[in-house]
Amino acid sequence: MARTVVVTDANFEEVVLNSDKPVLVDFWATWCGPCRQIAPSLEAIAAEHDEIVVAKLNTDENPATAAKYGVKSIPTMNVYKGGEVVKTIVGAKPKAALERDLEDFLA
């Protein structure tokens, strides 16, 4: 049972860009209500789908990576595959809607 992975500016390249699996990165912050709202759905997706890595990056603590990828509002979720952003999802959504958005990456 996979869990979400915490990524930082320091380990982003190693954990996300060099991953052999697609990685969904949730750009979030502790003060963000919608970010807290989607957290349980992301935990469930991580637990139910081994074919994708679900990572969380706190934008307050790691502003360089958020700025590099142009994250202007949170929650923003980028899917990285082969070191590139292949999908961006902005805003809180129910788990079923997130899974539909991610269907190309889920078995």
Side-chain angles (χ1 to χ4, degrees):
M1 184 190 255
R3 303 290 294 168
T4 57
V5 177
V6 175
V7 292
T8 64
D9 288 343
N11 72 0
F12 190 85
E13 182 175 352
E14 175 190 344
V15 174
V16 177
L17 302 181
N18 294 337
S19 176
D20 57 350
K21 294 180 182 180
V23 182
L24 170 71
V25 178
D26 173 27
F27 291 88
W28 72 287
T30 55
W31 50 264
C32 169
C35 299
R36 290 193 306 272
Q37 186 180 20
I38 64 165
S41 296
L42 293 174
E43 288 284 343
I45 290 169
E48 296 165 12
H49 296 280
D50 288 338
E51 65 275 23
I52 190 169
V53 175
V54 179
K56 296 179 72 68
L57 183 132
N58 184 315
T59 57
D60 288 340
E61 296 172 359
N62 302 280
T65 301
K68 178 179 179 179
Y69 289 99
V71 174
K72 305 245 187 292
S73 63
I74 54 175
T76 291
M77 293 153 277
N78 283 346
V79 179
Y80 296 82
K81 189 172 183 181
E84 301 291 327
V85 177
V86 294
K87 182 155 191 96
T88 299
I89 304 164
V90 179
K93 297 181 176 192
K95 180 178 177 251
L98 287 172
E99 287 178 319
R100 277 194 302 278
D101 286 341
L102 297 170
E103 66 187 0
D104 292 343
F105 311 100
L106 304 177

